Amino acid sequence: PEGGTAVVGVKNNYGFRASNQYGEPVKIKGAITDSKGKKIDTVIVRHDGMGTFSFTPIAGEQYQVNWTDDAGKKGIVPIEKASQEGVVISVKGSNEQATVQIQRSDNPPANWKKLNLWIHQNQSLFYKVAINVTEKKSVTAQIPIDQLPTGLLQFTLFSEDFQPIAERVLFVNNRDHEFNVKVSFPLVNLDKRGKNVVEIFVPDTAAANLSVAITDFALNTPETQTIFSDLLLSGDVKGKIYNPAYYLMSDSDTVTAHLDLVMLTHGWRRFDWSRLKAGLPP
């Protein structure tokens, strides 16, 4: 479930990832069914074994994913039972803003009607939003993210007494980790141990500390991982990301949507809030 826990009577968005024993994506197709075999939704892979589906759980009902891969292998995966009461968080992002929707069940606990949303990154708190769902069952907020640094942005929803309820991660790609340089070659010498001169011009608005690697062009192959993807993406989420460099090659709508599937399916958690609340340090 998108926020960590599904809730009965509330439409929940689910992310899924199909992979083999080596962490490589597998293409599957299938359906969500209830305990009576009734089809609830279709399972369709959108990118590299990942996709989403959504439905509203009914109290006392059990759901499962029935899938088939390209090799004809079939399987069944039970979906964790939804909570009888609670709050669901949903986040949709663009390069300019994030739209946060909070939905609650009919009868949540009393301390879950006045909520606190913290939005933070790299242990820096950017926004604190007070959300009142005492009268309303659904609240939507627009959060500007166009000035935030590139990286994982965490949305943590707390109860009135700061018990963590739900969590969602969004990747902000404002491309501030990049800058363009001009390269020229005043002197080129292909003799053995010949002198070559390479000049790199960096804009005066960028603070640069550069390292340079020179390789044989014939050995040049498409990059599946880069310094950017290691530092900004792979190092901060759990599990293997297949071809992580792809997600930082562009900020187009398609790549951004595919990157959000990674956020939904890799269980990123920087803090264990329950341990912190109990006074247990990392």
Side-chain angles (χ1 to χ4, degrees):
E2 181 173 7
T5 305
V7 177
V8 167
V10 178
K11 188 172 184 178
N12 294 263
N13 186 38
Y14 294 79
F16 71 87
R17 175 167 62 106
S19 58
N20 61 19
Q21 64 267 39
Y22 306 110
E24 298 166 338
V26 175
K27 192 169 184 179
I28 63 168
K29 57 183 178 180
I32 313 300
T33 59
D34 60 17
S35 58
K36 303 176 185 63
K38 179 183 176 182
K39 182 178 176 180
I40 306 299
D41 199 358
T42 302
V43 173
I44 299 175
V45 169
R46 289 168 54 192
H47 176 72
D48 277 354
M50 298 177 292
T52 61
F53 56 85
S54 59
F55 67 93
T56 303
I58 299 173
E61 188 58 84
Q62 182 65 51
Y63 302 92
Q64 63 186 26
V65 181
N66 304 274
W67 58 267
T68 305
D69 66 14
D70 281 348
K73 181 180 177 180
K74 297 184 178 182
I76 296 174
V77 177
I79 298 175
E80 185 177 337
K81 205 165 187 180
S83 297
Q84 292 295 321
E85 53 189 26
V87 178
V88 169
I89 184 172
S90 176
V91 178
K92 295 186 184 210
S94 65
N95 293 324
E96 288 77 37
Q97 67 179 17
T99 302
V100 183
Q101 185 178 38
I102 310 294
Q103 298 180 84
R104 67 166 176 85
S105 57
D106 288 333
N107 298 300
N111 62 329
W112 288 27
K113 293 183 178 179
K114 292 183 179 178
L115 308 173
N116 298 283
L117 178 64
W118 281 17
I119 302 168
H120 49 100
Q121 182 187 69
N122 294 331
Q123 302 182 45
S124 296
L125 180 63
F126 289 115
Y127 300 105
K128 290 194 291 185
V129 184
I131 298 175
N132 191 336
V133 289
T134 304
E135 302 296 333
K136 296 181 179 179
K137 291 179 62 176
S138 178
V139 173
T140 302
Q142 308 288 340
I143 309 295
I145 60 174
D146 57 322
Q147 298 298 318
L148 299 185
T150 297
L152 292 154
L153 189 65
Q154 186 174 0
F155 296 73
T156 307
L157 189 65
F158 297 92
S159 62
E160 188 175 9
D161 56 350
F162 280 91
Q163 173 189 352
I165 297 174
E167 206 164 51
R168 170 71 152 94
V169 179
L170 186 72
F171 195 92
V172 178
N173 185 7
N174 289 327
R175 308 189 77 87
D176 61 354
H177 57 288
E178 302 175 350
F179 57 86
N180 294 318
V181 300
K182 295 180 181 178
V183 182
S184 63
F185 303 90
L187 180 60
V188 177
N189 189 336
L190 301 182
D191 294 338
K192 185 177 182 180
R193 301 183 66 83
K195 181 180 180 180
N196 290 268
V197 176
V198 180
E199 291 184 347
I200 301 175
F201 296 89
V202 180
D204 58 7
T205 55
N209 181 2
L210 302 180
S211 297
V212 177
I214 299 175
T215 59
D216 190 328
F217 183 77
L219 302 177
N220 188 32
T221 57
E223 294 178 303
T224 59
Q225 67 183 82
T226 63
I227 293 175
F228 290 152
S229 67
D230 282 353
L231 291 178
L232 298 174
L233 182 58
S234 300
D236 270 339
V237 297
K238 296 178 181 178
K240 177 182 177 180
I241 299 178
Y242 182 78
N243 193 15
Y246 161 76
Y247 299 105
L248 292 177
M249 65 179 286
S250 166
D251 57 359
S252 68
D253 291 345
T254 300
V255 175
T256 299
H258 292 166
L259 177 54
D260 202 49
L261 293 174
V262 177
M263 299 295 99
L264 281 170
T265 56
H266 280 72
W268 182 84
R269 294 293 181 270
R270 169 93 19 119
F271 307 108
D272 187 335
W273 293 105
S274 58
R275 286 179 62 86
L276 291 176
K277 188 172 176 60
L280 301 172

